[in-house]
Amino acid sequence: MRYVSTRTNTSPMDFGEAVLTGLAPDGGLLLPRSVPHIGSRLPDLQSLDYLEFCTQVLADFGFAGEDASLLIRRAYASFDCKDVVRFESLSHAYLMELFHGPTLAFKDIALQFLGHVFEWLLARTGGVLNILGATSGDTGSAAIHAVKSRARMRIFMLYPKGRVSRLQERQMISVDAANVSCLSVDGSFDDCQALVKTLFADLTFKAAHQLGAVNSVNWARILAQTVYYGYAALNLGRSNSIVPVVPTGNFGNIFSGYLAMRMGFPISRLVLATNENDILARFFETGVYKRGTVQYTESPSMDIQSASNLERFLYYLFAEDGERVTRFMKRFYECGEARLEPAERDHLNDAIRGVRINREEMHATIKAVHEQSGYVLDPHSAIGVAAARKIGRELGHATPVCLATAHPAKFPETLHKIIGEWPRHPRLDALVDGRAQVTEIPAELGALKAHIEGYPSLSDA
Ligand SMILES: *Cc1c(COP(=O)(O)O)cnc(C)c1O
């Protein structure tokens, strides 16, 4: 399997190169040259458990062999349920719980896999990697748990001092591993992000310290997520097809679902649910992709102004025309707005239906589901369930499957406000007395560089 860029100006590469490269040199994102089709193998796949199924799907994309199978098992050994995901049924839809990993968020499914794949690739190439990232909360802990104790890697995670929740901070700084460095920065999240961006742009420093990222455009993350869409379609869509309903931010998760649909799994359509940051819901309604200002909501992992992975969908919408993708993205970055041609809009809604959910609708859904069944949804998952309720009739005979992307105990204050209870999880309770591992630095490039330079080089470590 070879991988090409959405802007088609990068020479094709294999799976390992695609994962280590991240963003393509031409500025595009990587995709398989042709999407493998499941075709007549559907019945054979139906009898497999999650890990066996995952191994088969990944093999189709060029990640095969004994190492691959072992690595997949290792990546998911830290999960609370053997089958990685769990299904629940609500009165009008199924729920697929994706939050049984170490940090109780769906990002663990992709990041635990990525951490193990990176370690394996670096061992083969003799490379090392200093991962640098900034977080406003959730992504940081999932990335830290993916990298901790992996060989040839170290992670530096910046977060704004006093501006992430106490729980989120504990999830990061309680990790006891020599290759994890949490940096509490005296500044805002934007300051943290600016520091990271500036350091990545310093090519001399970047090369000298082998800096890398684990961001959501990485191909391994997308691929690992595609697996659970196929798995849900096989397990819940036996007589009908399914319609996954996806609480969306960066378009990474839902793109994985779109890929599963292109592979031929019984998925008839996808529902894209947003909060008040509705740039994507508006795009799928109007064909206009227009940047807005970020609103801070109770579903913070969906608070975005542009969705990095949309470019992958555009590549297929534009019939794999890399020049058209390049023009569209260039226009968006330069003007803050880009439009589809009328002919391109015609098929926009065939695959993906956008729905915007506001705070009141999200609260009402958490309340109603709790009253009806005792089930507690987190704010992100509730946005998906609210979208399924809102457009249920449009879905016909297809089975809605709402993706539950975080455990409710990660958002105790919000849920207490809505249902008057404090959702809990033993792993989060245990954090309170854990040890703290954190360095405070000012929001200055010199301080960040000095901190990184203070570590021995990874190859000697
Ligand atoms: C990251 C995240 C999302 C959004 O996923 P995207 O892949 O960015 O669209 C939704 N819910 C939770 C809990 C998340 O952490």
Side-chain angles (χ1 to χ4, degrees):
M1 172 64 74
R2 306 293 282 171
Y3 287 85
V4 295
S5 162
T6 49
R7 302 194 187 176
T8 52
N9 259 323
T10 293
S11 11
M13 46 183 95
D14 68 17
F15 176 83
E17 289 168 313
V19 173
L20 286 175
T21 301
L23 197 68
D26 63 9
L29 307 185
L30 296 163
L31 281 170
R33 180 136 69 185
S34 66
V35 176
H37 203 272
I38 281 308
S40 59
R41 284 185 297 150
L42 214 53
D44 299 334
L45 293 172
Q46 229 146 18
S47 58
L48 304 180
D49 69 21
Y50 190 91
L51 297 178
E52 292 163 344
F53 177 72
C54 180
T55 307
Q56 297 264 327
V57 172
L58 268 46
D60 281 359
F61 284 91
F63 184 60
E66 241 170 73
D67 280 2
S69 153
L70 194 70
L71 203 141
I72 289 165
R73 276 169 206 284
R74 280 205 204 124
Y76 295 121
S78 59
F79 279 56
D80 286 337
C81 59
K82 180 177 95 27
D83 260 352
V84 183
V85 304
R86 258 194 49 198
F87 300 113
E88 278 278 341
S89 75
L90 299 180
S91 58
H92 55 288
Y94 282 100
L95 208 59
M96 174 159 59
E97 294 178 346
L98 305 173
F99 53 68
H100 295 288
T103 74
L104 311 181
F106 96 96
K107 289 189 177 67
D108 287 330
I109 298 183
L111 281 167
Q112 286 294 319
F113 175 67
L114 180 63
H116 281 83
V117 171
F118 263 152
E119 183 179 46
W120 176 75
L121 288 169
L122 292 171
R124 288 203 319 180
T125 58
V128 295
L129 199 58
N130 276 305
I131 292 162
L132 181 64
T135 184
S136 56
D138 258 5
T139 316
S141 61
I144 287 171
H145 281 80
V147 171
K148 71 166 187 187
S149 312
R150 305 255 73 78
R152 299 177 168 273
M153 279 183 275
R154 187 182 284 137
I155 186 164
F156 298 93
M157 188 55 67
L158 283 65
Y159 66 91
K161 181 179 168 186
R163 301 193 203 187
V164 302
S165 82
R166 187 177 138 70
L167 197 60
Q168 286 172 330
E169 184 175 33
R170 293 299 316 184
Q171 276 196 298
M172 293 191 276
I173 67 177
S174 62
V175 172
D176 184 12
N179 69 338
V180 171
S181 166
C182 296
L183 294 164
S184 169
V185 177
D186 196 1
S188 64
F189 172 61
D190 288 340
D191 294 333
C192 295
Q193 230 173 1
L195 283 174
V196 169
K197 272 199 183 149
T198 313
L199 211 49
F200 274 123
D202 182 341
L203 297 182
T204 317
F205 191 90
K206 186 175 177 225
H209 295 275
Q210 293 95 11
L211 291 190
V214 290
N215 49 30
S216 80
V217 300
N218 192 288
W219 169 249
R221 287 184 63 173
I222 297 293
L223 183 57
Q225 294 167 179
T226 296
V227 176
Y228 51 72
Y229 285 92
Y231 190 69
L234 291 184
N235 280 279
L236 303 176
R238 297 226 164 144
S239 47
N240 294 313
S241 53
I242 65 163
V243 176
V245 183
V246 191
T248 297
N250 252 321
F251 203 80
N253 197 1
I254 195 166
F255 179 78
S256 297
Y258 177 71
L259 198 68
M261 185 168 152
R262 285 190 82 94
M263 289 179 76
F265 286 106
I267 297 172
S268 50
R269 213 179 180 196
L270 295 138
V271 176
L272 179 156
T274 72
N275 62 22
E276 283 84 350
N277 295 286
D278 61 351
I279 174 171
L280 288 170
R282 280 186 284 118
F283 172 70
F284 281 94
E285 219 166 87
T286 61
V288 181
Y289 188 46
K290 185 171 190 293
R291 200 194 297 272
T293 43
V294 183
Q295 297 187 45
Y296 295 96
T297 72
E298 291 167 332
S299 44
S301 299
M302 296 162 68
D303 295 344
I304 55 122
Q305 4 175 10
S306 69
S308 17
N309 276 294
L310 183 69
E311 180 164 343
R312 287 190 157 110
F313 174 77
L314 293 173
Y315 177 74
Y316 293 114
L317 185 71
F318 298 153
E320 308 186 12
D321 177 353
E323 272 175 38
R324 174 72 182 111
V325 175
T326 310
R327 264 188 289 131
F328 188 94
M329 294 313 299
K330 190 158 173 267
R331 177 136 196 114
F332 177 70
Y333 286 117
E334 283 171 5
C335 315
E337 176 177 330
R339 285 164 186 273
L340 296 180
E341 304 289 338
E344 295 163 347
R345 270 186 61 178
D346 284 349
H347 297 288
L348 187 60
N349 273 230
D350 293 356
I352 297 179
R353 163 80 154 95
V355 182
R356 172 191 198 267
I357 295 297
N358 64 29
R359 182 171 182 272
E360 290 67 41
E361 292 168 310
M362 184 262 278
H363 281 214
T365 299
I366 290 177
K367 254 203 196 105
V369 169
H370 182 242
E371 274 162 18
Q372 282 157 18
S373 62
Y375 192 92
V376 182
L377 291 163
D378 100 282
H380 303 79
S381 312
I383 285 171
V385 175
R389 283 155 59 111
K390 198 165 180 169
I391 61 148
R393 284 189 184 178
E394 273 179 44
L395 303 178
H397 291 295
T399 307
V401 179
C402 301
L403 275 54
T405 50
H407 191 283
K410 296 196 80 168
F411 304 93
E413 288 85 10
T414 304
L415 285 160
H416 182 256
K417 219 165 36 190
I418 301 169
I419 58 167
E421 288 175 17
W422 298 100
R424 294 176 70 173
H425 188 284
R427 198 173 299 144
L428 297 182
D429 292 345
L431 281 180
V432 181
D433 302 317
R435 61 180 247 153
Q437 187 90 283
V438 62
T439 309
E440 293 194 13
I441 63 164
E444 287 162 17
L445 197 62
L448 177 59
K449 277 185 163 177
H451 180 79
I452 294 173
E453 282 164 343
Y455 282 78
S457 93
L458 272 168
S459 32
D460 321 327

